[in-house]
Amino acid sequence: MVIACFFFYQYYYSRYHGKKHNNIVFGLTGLLLFSVNYFANSGINGSTDLIWPAYLLMLFAISPYRHYLTWLVIYITAFVILHMVEYQYPALVQYPFTAGKGQFIDRITAFPLPVIAIYFIISFIKRSYDKERVIVELRNKEISLQKGLLEQSNAEKNKLMSIISHDMRAPLINIQGYLELLNETQIDNTQRLVLEKDLLAATNNTMQMLTNLLYWTKSQMERLR
């Protein structure tokens, strides 16, 4: 009961408080428990061998993948050693249950433990798999949606840049023409004032368009950030 309370404590803080559990303590405690129980409960004729695989399955369920082979080798080695010790020193084994009714009660009460443990472990693994699959599917849908929106945004930006470049090229051509005219042609002051007025209006319009473009670019960058 003390060990069960300790494991429940680890489970509670791992499940609801994000505190990492210690699978090494769980594995070594199982070795100690089953080693003692093996010799205290009829050895190979007892129920320890029935419960041991279910405990190992629980250990696999809470351990990282890289520890699987290590725990498997340790438990199989311990299993073989216990049976060899019993074979060499049979007097070490205690028989607390009488033949017949006692053994019957021992087996009937011991068999449900690994069965129930396997049921909960498989159910937990399946629920975790289904939950992760749903998360992955939702993530893939979100990525596809974001990709579609990004492609649409890029297409709109390309179209907008094409329009802006066309709209900016026209006044720049006008400015270039005005400057060439002023440089190459002798014109009177009245015409010069008219041309300079038109040149100033074209320059102001181009500057306003460029300013709007810079503001728009800044707003796009800030939205991304």
Side-chain angles (χ1 to χ4, degrees), residues 26 52-62 114 117-119 121-122 125:
F26 188 82
W52 202 324
Y55 191 90
L56 181 59
L57 181 60
M58 292 177 63
L59 181 59
F60 285 159
I62 67 171
I118 292 173
Y119 166 78
I121 293 170
I122 298 301
I125 293 175

Side-chain angles (χ1 to χ4, degrees), residues 138-157:
L138 292 176
R139 188 177 302 162
N140 291 336
K141 291 181 180 179
E142 182 178 354
I143 292 175
S144 299
L145 180 60
Q146 291 179 352
K147 184 178 179 181
L149 293 176
L150 182 60
E151 292 177 352
Q152 181 181 359
S153 177
N154 288 335
E156 292 176 352
K157 289 179 181 179

Side-chain angles (χ1 to χ4, degrees), residues 147-206:
K147 184 178 179 181
L149 293 176
L150 182 60
E151 292 177 352
Q152 181 181 359
S153 177
N154 288 335
E156 292 176 352
K157 289 179 181 179
N158 292 335
K159 183 178 180 180
L160 181 59
M161 292 303 297
S162 176
I163 295 173
I164 291 175
S165 62
H166 177 271
D167 290 345
M168 289 189 66
R169 186 172 181 271
L172 288 175
I173 292 176
N174 292 334
I175 294 174
Q176 183 183 21
Y178 290 149
L179 292 175
E180 290 177 353
L181 182 61
L182 292 174
N183 187 49
E184 298 176 357
T185 306
Q186 295 295 330
I187 57 178
D188 56 30
N189 291 334
T190 303
Q191 291 178 335
R192 178 181 292 274
L193 290 175
V194 174
L195 290 176
E196 289 178 352
K197 184 178 180 181
D198 292 340
L199 177 59
L200 179 61
T203 303
N204 291 335
N205 291 336
T206 305

Side-chain angles (χ1 to χ4, degrees), residues 36-43 45-48 93-97 106:
V36 173
N37 192 69
Y38 182 82
F39 290 102
N41 187 15
S42 305
N45 295 315
S47 57
T48 305
V93 178
Q94 304 296 321
Y95 295 90
F97 300 107
D106 178 42

